[in-house]
Amino acid sequence: MKISDKPRQGLLFQAFLLVFVISKAQLSVGVLGFQRVIFKSAGHDAWISVIIAGLAAHLSIWLMIRILAHYDSADLFGIHHALFGKWVGRLFSLLFMMYFAFYVLTISRTYIETVQSWIFPDFPTWLLMLLLIVLIAYGLTGGIRVIIGLCLFGFGCWILTTLFYYAAVRHAQWSFLLPIMEGTPSQLLEGASKMPLTLAGFEVIFFLYPFIRDPQNANRYAQIGVLISNLFYLFVMVVSIVYYSQNQMPKTIWATFSFLKIIRFPFLERFEFIAIPLWMLILVCNLMLFTWVILRGMKRVFQQNQKRSLAVFCALLFACSFLFQEHGQIYKMNSILNSVSTYVIFLYPSLLYLFVKTVHALKKRTVHR
């Protein structure tokens, strides 16, 4: 496998688009109910935990781009091959592909449960999963530039959803934020440890980097993308704290969608019939992007045809949807993904950065000798 991968010019995109791609990749099903799990750990200081996790995300993406900058137009698959050799490098790359596959399954199944909980309780799981698979496959036929464009569209839909919080802000009790810093440092860190699932997504920079036309600007725009996501999560957390009481928050599973209950129009009684389908347009961009990473890995690492890989992956995704039917199983999936994401987006980039710096330092010392 070639370490460097230089796509043709027609596939490249400007670095400023990372603002929309990175922030959009981070916006996933975690935002639908992350408030409850963090509030259980940090109480009304949960917004501080969000800030702590957000700062860690900024550091992590800086490390990722520093790693990529040590190589000429290489993605993480090529870096694995260069650092660990053919077989061990393949193993690490395969683990990353499995991580993204589990991510796609978790996002899909969690969204389906949302539809079944809020709109159509008897809607068949397999039918909605089939609809998502068709959308994923159709989007992937257009290639990475089409996916980037859809992420831009999804970003616009996401900005539109921020208007939904106006009704909740009107009923806010700002005294619920007081007293500040009542939680202990251990409680705040415990709350921050529940954020990786919500923050995950920016690790796609590991695979998008070779497609950036001006990589010297990648860090700046990627950091802006992460900042937008962090500010949004902070805003949602603060609004949730001042809207729900201390007794309500730990019992509200879908805290973000529960805001919709107070939105009323003369011609529309249940606003979630509009908001939840809109969220499908937002989430399907992530599903396409993460599936693209998997297909690219199959091509780069195992030299497999991408169309054949897509067909196999879609069949497996459809089959796995039958394995997770109960809420407890889906909650367990999200918990596992949160734990795995902690290692993928925080721990692994740190260790890999140290390893890359050590290898390059040893190479320089050998050359000087």
Side-chain angles (χ1 to χ4, degrees):
M1 184 182 75
K2 293 182 179 179
I3 297 174
S4 296
D5 180 45
K6 296 183 179 180
R8 64 178 186 271
Q9 287 294 317
L11 296 177
L12 302 182
F13 62 90
Q14 295 292 333
F16 77 89
L17 290 173
L18 288 175
V19 173
F20 310 104
V21 177
I22 295 297
S23 57
K24 179 62 206 66
Q26 287 188 269
L27 184 71
S28 188
V29 293
V31 72
L32 304 181
F34 76 103
Q35 304 97 311
R36 180 175 67 97
V37 293
I38 300 175
F39 189 87
K40 283 184 175 181
S41 299
H44 61 263
D45 285 329
W47 61 275
I48 302 177
S49 296
V50 174
I51 294 176
I52 294 172
L55 293 175
H58 280 287
L59 175 60
S60 185
I61 199 167
W62 179 83
L63 292 174
M64 291 178 182
I65 293 177
R66 293 300 301 168
I67 292 168
L68 292 162
H70 279 84
Y71 297 86
D72 180 26
S73 189
D75 56 14
L76 186 61
F77 300 129
I79 294 173
H80 281 162
H81 184 82
L83 292 176
F84 306 114
K86 179 179 179 181
W87 297 109
V88 178
R90 279 187 172 185
L91 176 61
F92 279 112
S93 297
L94 179 61
L95 290 175
F96 259 84
M97 285 184 273
M98 292 173 63
Y99 161 75
F100 279 109
F102 187 63
Y103 206 138
V104 171
L105 175 62
T106 302
I107 293 175
S108 304
R109 193 60 192 88
T110 304
Y111 175 74
I112 292 172
E113 188 194 26
T114 305
V115 174
Q116 293 169 334
S117 300
W118 284 82
I119 303 180
F120 305 117
D122 298 324
F123 199 96
T125 299
W126 67 268
L127 185 57
L128 191 49
M129 178 63 81
L130 185 61
L131 175 61
L132 292 174
I133 289 173
V134 170
L135 292 174
I136 293 170
Y138 181 74
L140 286 169
T141 57
I144 185 60
R145 288 179 65 88
V146 171
I147 297 174
I148 297 297
L150 289 172
C151 286
L152 182 58
F153 172 76
F155 182 87
C157 293
W158 168 30
I159 297 301
L160 182 62
T161 63
T162 58
L163 301 176
F164 299 165
Y165 299 96
Y166 171 71
V169 173
R170 288 177 56 195
H171 296 84
Q173 297 290 330
W174 296 99
S175 60
F176 288 171
L177 290 172
L178 302 174
I180 297 176
M181 290 296 294
E182 186 178 41
T184 64
S186 61
Q187 289 175 326
L188 297 179
L189 291 176
E190 183 183 353
S193 69
K194 306 295 178 59
M195 279 292 293
L197 172 61
T198 308
L199 290 174
F202 62 83
E203 63 272 21
V204 294
I205 191 66
F206 268 140
F207 311 96
L208 292 174
Y209 192 79
F211 292 85
I212 302 173
R213 195 182 302 275
D214 46 339
Q216 68 276 8
N217 297 323
N219 182 60
R220 178 198 314 166
Y221 292 113
Q223 295 286 359
I224 294 174
V226 173
L227 178 61
I228 292 173
S229 302
N230 288 336
L231 291 177
F232 175 75
Y233 289 132
L234 179 61
F235 168 72
V236 173
M237 177 56 79
V238 170
V239 171
S240 300
I241 293 172
V242 298
Y243 177 75
Y244 298 106
S245 68
Q246 289 195 349
N247 294 326
Q248 286 178 314
M249 181 74 89
K251 301 176 183 178
T252 308
I253 298 176
W254 310 102
T256 300
F257 275 154
S258 295
F259 291 138
L260 305 179
K261 292 181 178 180
I262 61 175
I263 301 178
R264 293 288 185 272
F265 291 102
F267 56 88
L268 184 64
E269 181 68 19
R270 296 188 61 186
F271 190 71
E272 58 265 31
F273 277 76
I274 300 296
I276 293 178
L278 181 62
W279 265 92
M280 185 176 73
L281 297 178
I282 296 173
L283 294 178
V284 77
C285 302
N286 291 15
L287 299 177
M288 292 179 188
L289 187 60
F290 299 152
T291 305
W292 173 83
V293 172
I294 298 169
L295 301 184
R296 181 162 176 78
M298 294 301 296
K299 179 182 178 181
R300 290 264 289 145
V301 179
F302 300 104
Q303 291 76 50
Q304 296 295 315
N305 180 274
Q306 287 185 302
K307 291 184 178 179
R308 188 181 301 113
S309 300
L310 176 60
V312 173
F313 176 75
C314 289
L316 290 174
L317 183 62
F318 183 72
C320 289
S321 66
F322 292 94
L323 302 177
F324 306 96
Q325 298 294 331
E326 299 178 0
H327 173 73
Q329 294 174 319
I330 299 169
Y331 179 79
K332 186 65 175 178
M333 290 174 65
N334 282 270
S335 298
I336 293 173
L337 185 58
N338 183 75
S339 300
V340 175
S341 297
T342 303
Y343 296 102
V344 172
I345 68 175
F346 292 135
L347 182 61
Y348 186 69
S350 303
L351 296 177
L352 189 62
Y353 176 76
L354 294 175
F355 192 74
V356 168
K357 294 294 287 185
T358 302
V359 169
H360 280 260
L362 291 175
K363 285 183 177 179
K364 286 183 179 179
R365 186 176 300 178
T366 303
V367 170
H368 289 309
R369 286 181 180 178

